[in-house]
Amino acid sequence: MTETKKSQWNSNFAFMMAMIGSAVGLGNIWRFPKVLYTNGGGSFMIPYIVSLFLLGISFVLVEYAVGYRFKRSLARILFTISKKLEPVAWFILFTVFLITTYYVCVVGWDLIYIFLSFTKAWGANPDVFFTQNVLHATESMTGLFTIVPTVLASVIAIWFITWFIIKRDLNEGIGAVSKVLIPLLCVIVVIIVAFSLTLPGASVGYSQIFTPDWSALTNLDVWLAAFGQIVFSLSLGMAIAMTYASYLPEGSKLVDNAMIVAFSNSGFEVFNSIGTFSILGFMAVTTAIPFNELVTSGSGLAFVVFPQVFNIMGDAAYVIGPLFFICILFAGITSIIALLEGFCYSISEKFLIERKKTATVVCIVGCLISAIFTTAAGSTILDIADAFLNNFALLFAVFLECIIFGWIYKFDNLIETLNEHSRIKVGKTWKVVIKYILPVCIAGLWLEGVLTTINNNNELSSTVMLILTAIVIIVPIILAKLPAINKDYYNVEN
Ligand code: PFF
């Protein structure tokens, strides 16, 4: 990928599938149900929809407008706006890269579970099986010196698949894969949800999400949770929409597009959660375990509770089980390739390295970092890294982007870009949201994260977070300081 050969989507459908693929990920499948349940059930949909429209779509539009207008990588866009901002771009891109290194690991666990699910090999005690037989988990840091071979092998496999997709031309790689995997993912989810609704006790589960707790609406934390879910689920601030939009041909309908992507992503998570809750309802009725004890999120839901459910489901589990884990795999892979694209594009553009070589280097380095998470202490480190990178670094990135594009850059240019070809127009309200409302909400969410982290702090997590802070400051500064090989990089005309 050089200056002379700029990638461009060959169809609007490919762009849309890639965008939906970037948004639909583990967050939709295993984060949303718990967030929904613990924040008021049915009534949560109100803050959720308000956050989606007011903040989520508004921010996606900023990313679309910036990418489409500049048609450059994030590093070069920020360099163009002001030389001093280039390290900020590398900070965002590098943070996202680090998030990818552990996200790949979780998808690697999932790959192992696809194989296990054909025979329900987790046995009668999936909880113990997951921590002891799969992860070989220990909280002691000496575990860092013990690699778990199966986890390492599956992480290498996921990196290899990622490399195989992203090294190709945009349309042959990301475009083609998204066009296949996203429709397939939808079909699988429809099958799982339809099946789950036939299970005895399903209504006990799904009625929980439709039973509103209106008092939750007066709780600020619930609003922050809704907003946090939208940030995570739509992959805001990760330079994905910006990068993908920079590959759009002239005349694209940006606002219409952003709406479709945002609705598809939210539609997916709400629809999928009906299935998840029905399955948990079935479990609650069959085993008499209280429903609220079953609603977990993250790996606990996918690798412990779901296998427990499959154990009591009978033969249908031999089909539904693999489908469930395949669903996570597809959602994960389409997110991973998106998470890496902005970083790869910036490296390619600055250092004039072709796409294939950049992909190879990024995947090898990524795989080496992921190896840390495949050790016996890996899952402990992973939780700490996740809390830090998601709650601090990423939210800080979204905040910085609001300030840069809302205050430093000439915002009216973005309004002009968006309204050029779209049927739905944006105006002053959008400007107010980006300049004032969004930064305040992000700051609130960020402060909440800081307080939670301080309260739950221990020596290990402080050390890991300190190391991570140093890394996400030093590496971006180095990347920004390195001179560009591409002389056009310094051309700041826009
Ligand atoms: N939006 C995707 C998901 O919900 O899984 C991708 C993603 C978002 C990955 C945020 C990582 C992350 F921190």
Side-chain angles (χ1 to χ4, degrees), residues 22-23 25-28 99 103 232-235 238 335 339 390 394:
S22 76
L26 304 182
N28 303 60
I99 289 178
Y103 199 86
F232 193 96
S233 178
L234 270 178
S235 314
M238 307 180 103
S335 291
L339 290 166
N390 256 306
L394 195 59

Side-chain angles (χ1 to χ4, degrees), residues 83 227 293 323 357 373 451:
K83 263 188 206 165
F227 178 49
E293 283 179 24
L323 282 181
K357 267 195 200 137
F373 304 113
L451 292 179

Side-chain angles (χ1 to χ4, degrees), residues 20-31 95-96 99-100 102-103 229-236 238 240 265 269 331-332 334-336 338-339 386 389-390 394:
I20 294 174
S22 76
V24 171
L26 304 182
N28 303 60
I29 298 171
W30 75 24
R31 192 176 189 276
T95 299
V96 175
I99 289 178
T100 319
Y102 68 76
Y103 199 86
Q229 176 62 24
I230 293 291
V231 173
F232 193 96
S233 178
L234 270 178
S235 314
L236 298 188
M238 307 180 103
I240 295 174
N265 177 58
E269 62 188 10
T334 48
S335 291
I336 293 168
L339 290 166
D386 180 41
L389 293 168
N390 256 306
L394 195 59

